[in-house]
Amino acid sequence: MGLLSLTISYFNKSANGESLWAPFLEMFRMLSVVLILTYIATKSKSFKVIIRGQQSRKTIIWQIIIFSILGILASYCTMDVNGIPANARGLIVMISALLGGPYVGIPVGIIAGVWRYGMGGITALACGVATIMAGIVGSLVYRWNDGEFLRPYKAALLMLLYSGFDMFLITILTPQPKGVLIANALYAPMTFGAVLGILLFTLFLTEKKEEAEKSDEQTVSDNRNTDTQNINEISQELNEYKDKVKKLEQKLEEYDKKFNQLEQKLKDK
């Protein structure tokens, strides 16, 4: 009911004179920058290994570094909603946890959360705690889903629930009455950004996984063709050796006949 009242309040306020879609457009612009940076990060060889489910110490360290940097940058790449900064830090931490599990999500959440807390501000504690919780929640979901990234609708539902939890933390950990006012202003655009962002990333990841699977299948097919070709070549060589052995046997038979004939002549003499 609390989240519903926040949503209704937001839309009522927007309808009374403020632009209804402006915060969403701003959030979409900011989200585009975040997703572009994430996309650039996914072009590395380590990411191609990760989507195949082949985690290693190297890939874990790589993910922690990349997502921590993105999480910190998200604290500075903000949009203004009625004088209140909104960002996609929680989304980035959640993606890191869903993609890399607890060994990635929890460290990234702690790094980004502590950094946000160190920046100060009235929402520093709430935002810091929410960021750390994003890493923990995402890691638990990663374990629950056996290390597989969530399907789009499940990922969207997760971010919807997390956004509500984020606003709840802002409400209880921020001095009143500012806590409710801030949550009221941020709930709709940040929920929109979080859900849209996780959907886009999930679809992108699904496409990359399909490409990787096709590439693996092609590699297996090529290897099979190579093996078949090698077998054919070996078989051909064996046949050639058989022919040579037969010719050698024929020559030996001829020599044996000649030897017998020679032996017979010697006996006759």
Side-chain angles (χ1 to χ4, degrees), residues 112-202:
V114 170
W115 188 281
R116 171 61 188 91
Y117 179 76
M119 292 173 63
I122 192 172
T123 60
L125 178 60
C127 292
V129 172
T131 302
I132 294 173
M133 288 304 300
I136 295 173
V137 171
S139 298
L140 291 174
V141 174
Y142 175 91
R143 291 292 192 188
W144 169 74
N145 206 41
D146 296 327
E148 293 290 331
F149 204 91
L150 292 176
R151 293 184 178 182
Y153 73 93
K154 289 183 179 180
L157 178 61
L158 175 63
M159 289 310 300
L160 181 65
L161 295 174
Y162 169 76
S163 295
F165 176 70
D166 189 4
M167 296 303 107
F168 173 72
L169 288 178
I170 290 176
T171 302
I172 64 173
L173 296 180
T174 304
Q176 298 302 329
K178 290 186 177 180
V180 174
L181 296 175
I182 292 172
N184 178 35
L186 295 182
Y187 174 65
M190 286 194 65
T191 301
F192 166 78
V195 172
L196 179 61
I198 199 73
L199 277 174
L200 292 176
F201 184 83
T202 304

Side-chain angles (χ1 to χ4, degrees), residues 21 55 248:
W21 301 109
Q55 291 280 21
L248 183 59

